[in-house]
């Protein structure tokens, strides 16, 4: 006689496997999950644009993990977020860091993407600027500082 596996049993197996996966992810993060591969691809339908000084707006971006390690989101040490930096017309990095856009999932494996809404606040002074959008591993480093190509947009601030 063949016994049928019921939904509660299958759901129980799924829960056990998911708990093991989450525990594994948490262990990797807890154990000092500094990435060894800072690789990203970031795109946006928005190109060069004009904004008012000090204005905050939302930038839709698509981020793809082109590295060999997963990105982890959530409230853990070493999580990966999207953010931005401003450069002035002379190419000087402004001393402020942008707001963060957290990942929508707890885990972005290599080759997978996420679509984020990044809140961006324009510099307070009028002029021409360059906006660099990059992933950042909190507590460790900006991806662009480790050689990854950021999304670069020319912005006129009025």
């Amino acid at each position: 006689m063949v016994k049928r596996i019921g939904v509660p049993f299958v759901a129980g197996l799924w829960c056990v496997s998911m708990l093991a996966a989450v525990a594994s992810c948490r262990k990797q993060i807890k154990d000092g999950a500094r990435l060894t591969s800072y690789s990203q691809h970031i795109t946006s339908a928005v190109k060069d644009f004009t904004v008012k000084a000090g204005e905050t707006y939302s930038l839709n971006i698509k981020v793809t993990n082109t590295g060999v390690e997963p990105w982890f989101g959530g409230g853990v040490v070493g999580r990966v977020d999207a953010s931005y930096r401003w450069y002035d017309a002379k190419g000087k990095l402004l001393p402020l860091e942008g707001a963060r856009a957290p990942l929508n999932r707890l885990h972005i494996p290599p080759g997978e993407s996420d679509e984020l809404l990044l809140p961006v606040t324009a510099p307070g002074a009028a002029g021409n600027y360059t906006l660099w959008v990059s992933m950042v591993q909190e507590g460790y480093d900006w991806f662009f500082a480790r050689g990854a190509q950021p999304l670069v947009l020319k912005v006129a601030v009025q």
Side-chain angles (χ1 to χ4, degrees):
M1 175 174 196
V2 176
K3 289 187 175 183
R4 297 182 82 182
I5 297 174
V7 173
F9 180 75
V10 173
L13 287 178
W14 180 84
C15 287
V16 168
S17 66
M18 289 308 296
L19 288 173
V22 168
S24 174
C25 290
R26 297 277 183 218
K27 181 179 181 334
Q28 286 178 349
I29 293 167
K30 183 180 172 194
D31 290 347
R34 183 177 191 143
L35 294 172
T36 60
S37 171
Y38 287 83
S39 186
Q40 66 186 7
H41 182 69
I42 303 175
T43 59
S44 177
V46 174
K47 301 302 174 201
D48 303 342
F49 56 99
T50 301
V51 293
K52 293 181 181 177
E55 178 181 275
T56 299
Y57 57 94
S58 296
L59 179 65
N60 288 308
I61 59 173
K62 180 178 180 182
V63 300
T64 302
N65 179 353
T66 57
V68 297
E69 300 165 284
W71 296 345
F72 294 99
V76 297
V77 174
R79 73 183 182 275
V80 174
D81 295 321
S83 190
Y84 63 92
R85 300 298 303 266
W86 286 104
Y87 287 83
D88 67 15
K90 295 180 182 178
K92 181 180 175 189
L93 178 64
L94 299 185
L96 50 106
E97 290 190 8
R100 303 309 203 237
L103 300 174
N104 292 312
R105 297 182 287 160
L106 292 178
H107 179 252
I108 306 292
E112 290 193 18
S113 300
D114 199 1
E115 294 191 19
L116 308 177
L117 194 59
L118 178 63
V120 177
T121 301
N128 292 316
Y129 295 88
T130 305
L131 176 67
W132 283 31
V133 179
S134 177
M135 303 308 287
V136 58
Q137 186 181 25
E138 301 298 346
Y140 293 107
D141 222 338
W142 288 82
F143 281 40
F144 77 85
R146 301 283 301 223
Q149 179 63 44
L151 171 64
V152 178
L153 303 171
K154 299 289 183 190
V155 182
V157 176
Q158 301 177 337

